[in-house]
Amino acid sequence: MSKIKCQCGHENPFGTVLCEKCGRPLTDEAQKSEMVDMRYEGSARRSQTYKKSVIDKIWNFFSSVKIGVSIIIAVLATSAIGTIFPQKFYVPVSGNDPSEYLEYYERLYGTVGKLYYQLGFYDMYNSWWFKVLIGMLGTSIIIASLDRVIPLYKSLTKQRTKRHPSFMKRQRIYGASNVSDPDESFNNAEKALKDLHYKVKVEDGAILAEKNRFGRWGPYVNHTGLIIFLLGVLMRGIPGFYVDETMWIREGETREIPGAPGYLLENVDFSVETYSKGEADEVFGEAIDNNGAIVSEFKSDVKLYKEKEGSLPGSSDVEFMKEYPIIVNKPLKFDGYSIFQMDYKTGELKTMTFSLMNKKTEQSVGEFTIDLNEPAKDYDLGNGTSIELMEYYADYDGIVDGQPSSKSPIPNNPAFIFNMKTPEHPDGEKSFVAIRQTLEVEPNDYEAKFLSAETRDASGLTIRKDKTLYILLLGGIVFMIGVIQGSYWQHRRIWIQKGSGSEMLIAAHTNKNWYTLKKDLDKVKEVATLPTYTDKQDKEAVIDTTEGETK
Amino acid sequence: MDYAALSANLLLVSFIAYLVGTLFFGGAVKVSKTEKTYKDSMWGKIGIVVTIIGFVAQLGYFITRWIAAGHAPVSNMFEFTTAFSMMLVGSFILIFFIYKTPSLGLFALPIAIVIIAYASMFPREITPLIPALKSYWLTVHVITAALGESILAISAVAGLIYLAKNVDLTKKSKERFWLEAVMFTVVLVLGFVVSSTAFSLSGYEADFTYVDKNGKASEMTYNMPPLFGMSEYEQVTTDTMKPWFEMPAIVNAKTLTTFVWSLFTGIILYILIRLIFRRPIAALLQPFAKKANSQLMDEIGYRSVLIGFPVFTLGALIFAMIWAHEAWSRFWGWDPKEVWALITWLFYAAFLHLRLSQGWEGKKSAWLAVAGFVIIMFNLVAVNLIIAGLHSYA
């Protein structure tokens, strides 16, 4: 495409609205307008220039802020809909059976709940359309930024100190009039602007005073931060970058840590503490009276072990790494992994103690204790008496097909089949024993009578490893730098120029905060005689200034 | 020293100071004929001094309560909302020294007063921290988020003044309707305050047993006459009224009852105001907004979004994510409170883009600022009380 040559001799790229050097309006539209659009300095943006090919059209679609805002609103709306009812991952439905989810939403929320499920809103943030929206948002951020930042950079670096009067006239803040001594005004203004910490350039009877240009890059820096963040989120899909596992571990147990091969964890002790009224002094007394006990701490005291190098997986050849109390807000950290205190169970059965009774004499002939997680096969009570544990059902669930069955390996409801060998019955008497229940094939002389049980607690822990965290953090930091850069610093420019005869021209522009720009101008006017300017956008200002200047 | 009692008294002092400050700002606007007298008004100067006294007292409340509790007083609804109002006043004072506009005080202080009154309807006793809140991130995250929200709220105040001044209230229009709707919402909050206070002074209590949504038997005490009963409720106190309707298990009938009583009281208050003054509330406020410079209000509205947006991002999203990662093992979990913080952020991002490149200034920008405040309040009130999630500490 051909270049546009301005009257000042500068060759501008095709599509330029305001000459990069002198600011002369180059298009008919700009020439006719009273105020020119200064947002991108009237530079040639790809999206405003090329509109033919498919690529142009895609580019133009995503570079449009209107489209960008529409995508933001769409993400906003879908996110909001996702909060109407609880999302899938907060619903207490175990397993992944769709019909159970449907049943849950329908039972609690009726027809609307059913519709919510059927439309897929119950898993909004994992839905394909939500992901597509986020993808579009990312694309829009990249393309819209590129479309603007490059031409903006070019025209800000090429801008000339002396601008054409037609450029000045079309600024939002503009004034022109004759002054008594233009040279003195000019020099005073130059000094005053320097005192206000403007970078002042003088050329051929013209001043360009500029401040905080770097604030103009803020939006592009913060967009870069957002893109880094979104890339970080994408990278979680890469194997090894992200681990999210849970484990239940009982007191006294040592288990391999899921997701962290080679590491083992021992749960030494789990405890729950509540604020007691005495020690929490009178300050919390009222709150405890009103709310009942308030938990102060969930704690798992654990020991971390690592398998020695070269040892077989699952071997007991381990080395002790460290001991650590995991509490909420203080996860155990090692080798990029973090282990969090998330849940707990108290009072899980650990051991049960029985006494072997002679039914007739009601005399005990000995006691035995069964470890419910690793039950021994035989228990010798001495004097030719022993118990053989024939079958063990940790979580007894009734008789299925004529056989007792266990629904889980967790000893929630233990049941046993004992073979009781006594001097009278060397071959043993068989007995089925469950909680509050004893079944015998034929009447026995002896019975195993439940004496006591020991319980223990279990900790629910979450294991995380997230290598993308630093990328996300970097994205966040870059975003913050950009957003602060763009919000707290405003790019201000003041043009002052000697016209023909004793005329002076003054114009000013800022990307935001016009109030302070005008204050700066007023300060300059205090020391230099300059034309009165008007703010073309402040219609009430006329009244304000006339009334305000009666000092 | 009894810091807890001192703290409560200081809060009362600040509440009264804000009321008095409002009157002085009203005076400043009333007596000024020109922009000049308006800006340099003696009334306005006294107004800001009284406001600063109130702010210092409220800061005193905050610090003494912090000492008494041993943790930053931002751990429940009462504490957070009070802190929010304090920061709102702080932001106003800051903006006042830049722009010197008494009208801003005239609108900002009543909003702070209503917010404090609203906060006081929730349990005020000092509560020890539950394990999830025991972290210095509580202080960092919540205070930064509240500060960001309060600066953003200033933009809504400026927007409201802009609208009160520039919406033509003589003709019927959508704008007039919505402006009055905003005023009505404020009256509703007052309705909540009035009805809660009245029933709590009368010591009303009605106990019920009911079955919750997981099918478990539970108990509930109403502090207002129960219009709606919980699912399968049984009355325990027999001399109290019988609920008119029984609600399904997913509806918290107590919250609904409170809402309906507040609505009822609010409507009565609104009708009374209309009967006494024979004009819409927006029209009552218009003379007080007339003195403000529209361009300046627009500027303040925009600037406070520019200043507040980064603070909000840092506090409500970045610090929130870092803490969520420490406490809940994931930095983001689509908890309703998190989602609504994201929505607030997206909304203000859209606001900035519309303003920057679509030229949405003046009325459009003012409406957006007011809508942003509505979203912030929704996240504070509705998400905590209706959409229960991990953040429901109140």
Side-chain angles (χ1 to χ4, degrees):
Chain A
M1 289 279 183
S2 61
K3 301 250 178 190
I4 309 173
K5 194 164 179 180
C6 175
Q7 285 169 323
C8 72
H10 180 66
E11 282 197 352
N12 292 290
F14 180 72
T16 307
V17 182
L18 301 174
C19 172
E20 290 173 329
K21 266 218 146 76
C22 73
R24 264 193 195 88
L26 299 175
T27 60
D28 284 352
E29 202 190 339
Q31 278 160 8
K32 277 181 208 140
S33 64
E34 196 198 328
M35 223 161 82
V36 283
D37 183 353
M38 285 289 289
R39 259 177 286 134
Y40 308 103
E41 304 285 310
S43 56
R45 285 165 50 201
R46 189 191 196 284
S47 63
Q48 306 301 306
T49 313
Y50 305 100
K51 295 175 176 175
K52 292 233 170 67
S53 71
V54 181
I55 292 175
D56 292 345
K57 286 196 172 128
I58 294 172
W59 180 275
N60 296 352
F61 178 80
F62 282 111
S63 78
S64 151
V65 172
K66 229 181 231 171
I67 297 297
V69 170
S70 312
I71 299 170
I72 293 177
I73 300 295
V75 174
L76 188 157
T78 33
S79 302
I81 294 170
T83 62
I84 297 175
F85 297 136
Q87 287 287 299
K88 183 182 174 185
F89 36 81
Y90 287 121
V91 163
V93 172
S94 55
N96 231 339
D97 185 1
S99 66
E100 279 193 42
Y101 282 102
L102 176 61
E103 190 272 334
Y104 179 86
Y105 283 95
E106 200 175 2
R107 176 165 54 86
L108 282 181
Y109 309 107
T111 322
V112 188
K114 190 176 168 187
L115 203 65
Y116 196 79
Y117 172 84
Q118 284 167 340
L119 290 172
F121 292 169
Y122 81 117
D123 199 10
M124 184 67 97
Y125 312 112
N126 292 315
S127 65
W128 63 266
W129 67 81
F130 192 78
K131 286 174 181 161
V132 166
L133 276 178
I134 299 290
M136 284 172 71
L137 191 62
T139 316
S140 165
I141 290 172
I142 295 173
I143 292 183
S145 303
L146 287 179
D147 191 57
R148 287 165 177 81
V149 70
I150 297 167
L152 180 66
Y153 177 79
K154 280 186 188 159
S155 45
L156 279 179
T157 45
K158 281 181 189 159
Q159 63 172 335
R160 206 169 66 183
T161 306
K162 186 166 189 174
R163 289 296 176 111
H164 193 259
S166 60
F167 171 82
M168 309 246 314
K169 204 186 283 176
R170 286 178 178 81
Q171 293 301 313
R172 175 171 156 182
I173 288 180
Y174 174 70
S177 68
N178 290 326
V179 295
S180 54
D181 186 348
D183 289 325
E184 196 200 343
S185 296
F186 191 85
N187 292 335
N188 287 345
E190 185 190 344
K191 194 180 168 304
L193 285 163
K194 278 185 181 151
D195 289 345
L196 288 169
H197 305 291
Y198 277 82
K199 277 184 201 150
V200 182
K201 279 199 249 171
V202 181
E203 177 194 300
D204 190 18
I207 290 175
L208 164 61
E210 196 173 2
K211 208 179 202 178
N212 302 336
R213 189 198 283 181
F214 81 102
R216 287 294 276 275
W217 315 125
Y220 311 105
V221 174
N222 82 45
H223 283 174
T224 310
L226 289 177
I227 293 300
I228 296 173
F229 189 93
L230 288 177
L231 283 179
V233 174
L234 271 185
M235 282 172 75
R236 306 175 112 199
I238 302 172
F241 267 71
Y242 183 67
V243 170
D244 174 14
E245 300 278 350
T246 54
M247 75 189 283
W248 279 100
I249 179 164
R250 305 180 184 99
E251 284 172 327
E253 261 183 346
T254 304
R255 298 178 76 104
E256 286 175 22
I257 301 172
Y263 287 99
L264 294 106
L265 199 69
E266 180 187 348
N267 188 354
V268 180
D269 181 43
F270 173 80
S271 57
V272 181
E273 268 173 46
T274 55
Y275 290 97
S276 68
K277 245 184 110 173
E279 64 173 315
D281 59 52
E282 67 269 30
V283 179
F284 300 139
E286 195 187 343
I288 295 172
D289 283 343
N290 290 349
N291 300 309
I294 298 171
V295 173
S296 73
E297 193 172 84
F298 300 111
K299 184 169 81 178
S300 300
D301 284 308
V302 297
K303 282 181 182 163
L304 178 72
Y305 302 94
K306 190 180 182 182
E307 278 173 13
K308 283 196 183 134
E309 252 169 74
S311 64
L312 290 168
S315 75
S316 55
D317 193 13
V318 293
E319 81 187 282
F320 171 76
M321 303 284 291
K322 62 173 156 182
E323 199 168 353
Y324 188 84
I326 305 179
I327 59 172
V328 181
N329 273 312
K330 296 243 167 16
L332 163 67
K333 289 181 181 168
F334 63 95
D335 191 24
Y337 295 95
S338 303
I339 299 189
F340 298 87
Q341 175 65 49
M342 296 300 280
D343 205 349
Y344 69 98
K345 265 188 235 164
T346 52
E348 187 184 288
L349 288 169
K350 183 187 177 196
T351 62
M352 281 174 112
T353 303
F354 294 90
S355 138
L356 189 65
M357 302 272 279
N358 186 320
K359 282 185 187 172
K360 267 182 230 143
T361 62
E362 294 199 5
Q363 290 277 313
S364 169
V365 291
E367 290 172 9
F368 60 100
T369 298
I370 301 172
D371 180 336
L372 295 172
N373 288 294
E374 281 165 5
K377 190 93 182 116
D378 292 293
Y379 303 85
D380 188 9
L381 305 183
N383 302 326
T385 309
S386 71
I387 306 284
E388 184 194 351
L389 178 59
M390 298 177 73
E391 294 290 344
Y392 168 53
Y393 311 95
D395 197 1
Y396 175 61
D397 192 30
I399 310 280
V400 176
D401 299 331
Q403 290 289 325
S405 82
S406 175
K407 68 177 171 198
S408 77
I410 299 157
N412 291 325
N413 185 24
F416 315 86
I417 296 178
F418 295 127
N419 192 18
M420 301 168 287
K421 294 177 186 159
T422 45
E424 298 100 304
H425 303 280
D427 287 340
E429 294 174 304
K430 291 189 185 65
S431 167
F432 174 85
V433 179
I435 290 174
R436 287 190 206 157
Q437 188 181 10
T438 303
L439 296 175
E440 292 166 357
V441 185
E442 43 203 57
N444 293 338
D445 292 341
Y446 288 87
E447 74 171 333
K449 200 164 179 189
F450 172 72
L451 277 184
S452 65
E454 259 183 66
T455 61
R456 60 177 164 183
D457 304 333
S459 304
L461 305 172
T462 289
I463 300 96
R464 288 268 180 169
K465 177 179 181 174
D466 196 344
K467 279 193 181 169
T468 68
L469 277 182
Y470 291 100
I471 301 168
L472 301 178
L473 193 65
L474 176 72
I477 291 170
V478 173
F479 176 82
M480 280 311 297
I481 291 172
V483 83
I484 288 173
Q485 184 182 349
S487 309
Y488 296 177
W489 280 274
Q490 302 95 26
H491 180 214
R492 295 176 201 154
R493 274 174 298 173
I494 296 172
W495 294 278
I496 299 173
Q497 190 172 121
K498 284 187 269 190
S500 55
S502 61
E503 195 190 31
M504 283 201 88
L505 308 176
I506 174 170
H509 181 264
T510 179
N511 59 338
K512 42 190 78 119
N513 193 2
W514 293 81
Y515 177 80
T516 315
L517 176 69
K518 284 189 266 182
K519 265 178 60 181
D520 282 357
L521 271 179
D522 293 341
K523 276 185 200 149
V524 176
K525 280 182 68 185
E526 276 173 25
V527 286
T529 323
L530 291 171
T532 311
Y533 63 85
T534 48
D535 178 350
K536 292 175 192 162
Q537 218 150 296
D538 188 359
K539 283 158 197 132
E540 293 161 16
V542 188
I543 324 161
D544 291 354
T545 45
T546 48
E547 283 171 352
E549 274 178 359
T550 51
K551 260 191 182 166
Chain B
M1 197 153 82
D2 186 359
Y3 285 109
L6 177 63
S7 160
N9 288 331
L10 283 171
L11 186 62
L12 189 65
V13 170
S14 69
F15 185 81
I16 294 165
Y18 296 157
L19 277 173
V20 176
T22 309
L23 294 179
F24 276 101
F25 283 124
V29 174
K30 195 100 191 166
V31 299
S32 54
K33 291 201 175 61
T34 65
E35 174 76 12
K36 179 101 185 111
T37 52
Y38 163 75
K39 277 200 168 174
D40 296 343
S41 148
M42 200 58 207
W43 289 78
K45 280 181 186 148
I46 299 172
I48 192 71
V49 169
V50 175
T51 309
I52 290 172
I53 293 171
F55 179 72
V56 170
Q58 202 175 0
L59 206 60
Y61 142 82
F62 193 75
I63 293 166
T64 45
R65 192 173 169 103
W66 193 327
I67 295 170
H71 60 257
V74 287
S75 67
N76 62 29
M77 190 72 157
F78 164 72
E79 291 178 338
F80 178 83
T81 316
T82 313
F84 173 68
S85 72
M86 178 177 80
M87 291 173 194
L88 182 69
V89 175
S91 312
F92 156 68
I93 292 172
L94 196 76
I95 299 269
F96 185 87
F97 280 106
I98 304 176
Y99 294 100
K100 304 258 177 347
T101 51
S103 320
L104 197 67
L106 182 58
F107 282 76
L109 287 185
I111 292 178
I113 291 168
V114 170
I115 293 174
I116 297 176
Y118 171 81
S120 310
M121 297 304 113
F122 292 89
R124 269 172 288 174
E125 72 263 8
I126 297 176
T127 328
L129 293 181
I130 58 166
L133 292 181
K134 279 185 163 180
S135 166
Y136 57 86
W137 285 107
L138 170 73
T139 317
V140 179
H141 154 63
V142 184
I143 290 181
T144 322
L147 185 66
E149 289 185 348
S150 68
I151 302 172
L152 292 172
I154 288 288
S155 101
V157 176
L160 209 57
I161 299 172
Y162 188 97
L163 293 171
K165 175 171 178 175
N166 291 300
V167 170
D168 183 359
L169 296 174
T170 55
K171 283 193 301 245
K172 204 175 169 186
S173 68
K174 262 190 206 158
E175 283 189 323
R176 188 178 81 165
F177 171 80
W178 283 109
L179 191 59
E180 192 62 11
V182 171
M183 301 300 161
F184 178 70
T185 318
V186 178
V187 177
L188 277 194
V189 178
L190 285 178
F192 168 70
V193 172
V194 169
S195 54
S196 305
T197 312
F199 287 121
S200 115
L201 286 178
S202 71
Y204 189 92
E205 261 184 28
D207 296 331
F208 289 89
T209 58
Y210 69 100
V211 178
D212 75 4
K213 68 175 181 182
N214 299 322
K216 272 199 342 216
S218 304
E219 289 167 22
M220 170 99 46
T221 305
Y222 284 61
N223 301 102
M224 294 186 174
L227 304 176
F228 302 92
M230 301 294 289
S231 169
E232 299 175 47
Y233 67 86
E234 303 266 359
Q235 278 179 290
V236 178
T237 30
T238 43
D239 55 340
T240 53
M241 75 174 265
K242 191 176 149 50
W244 292 346
F245 306 99
E246 181 179 325
M247 289 287 116
I250 53 155
V251 177
N252 185 330
K254 184 184 169 186
T255 308
L256 187 65
T257 299
T258 310
F259 178 74
V260 171
W261 273 113
S262 310
L263 188 71
F264 177 69
T265 319
I267 290 173
I268 290 184
L269 276 176
Y270 184 76
I271 293 172
L272 277 177
I273 294 170
R274 291 294 296 258
L275 283 177
I276 294 169
F277 296 101
R278 306 206 159 266
R279 264 189 300 172
I281 299 180
L284 283 176
L285 293 178
Q286 194 156 51
F288 292 100
K290 276 288 181 212
K291 302 278 166 45
N293 176 306
S294 304
Q295 186 64 37
L296 194 60
M297 285 305 139
D298 187 55
E299 179 98 27
I300 294 174
Y302 179 40
R303 258 202 115 183
S304 33
V305 173
L306 278 177
I307 299 172
F309 185 71
V311 181
F312 179 81
T313 312
L314 191 65
L317 293 173
I318 296 181
F319 288 163
M321 285 188 205
I322 297 175
W323 187 17
H325 181 260
E326 289 291 308
W328 296 325
S329 86
R330 81 288 180 290
F331 67 90
W332 191 259
W334 297 106
D335 173 67
K337 195 87 175 178
E338 289 173 350
V339 178
W340 278 92
L342 177 69
I343 289 173
T344 313
W345 184 79
L346 287 170
F347 181 84
Y348 282 102
F351 173 106
L352 289 172
H353 283 96
L354 286 170
R355 172 132 192 156
L356 280 169
S357 62
Q358 303 297 311
W360 280 37
E361 293 181 13
K363 271 189 198 165
K364 279 180 178 169
S365 173
W367 277 118
L368 285 182
V370 172
F373 185 64
V374 171
I375 294 180
I376 290 175
M377 286 296 112
F378 185 86
N379 200 3
L380 177 62
V381 179
V383 173
N384 272 44
L385 302 181
I386 301 170
I387 312 175
L390 292 170
H391 276 82
S392 347
Y393 302 120

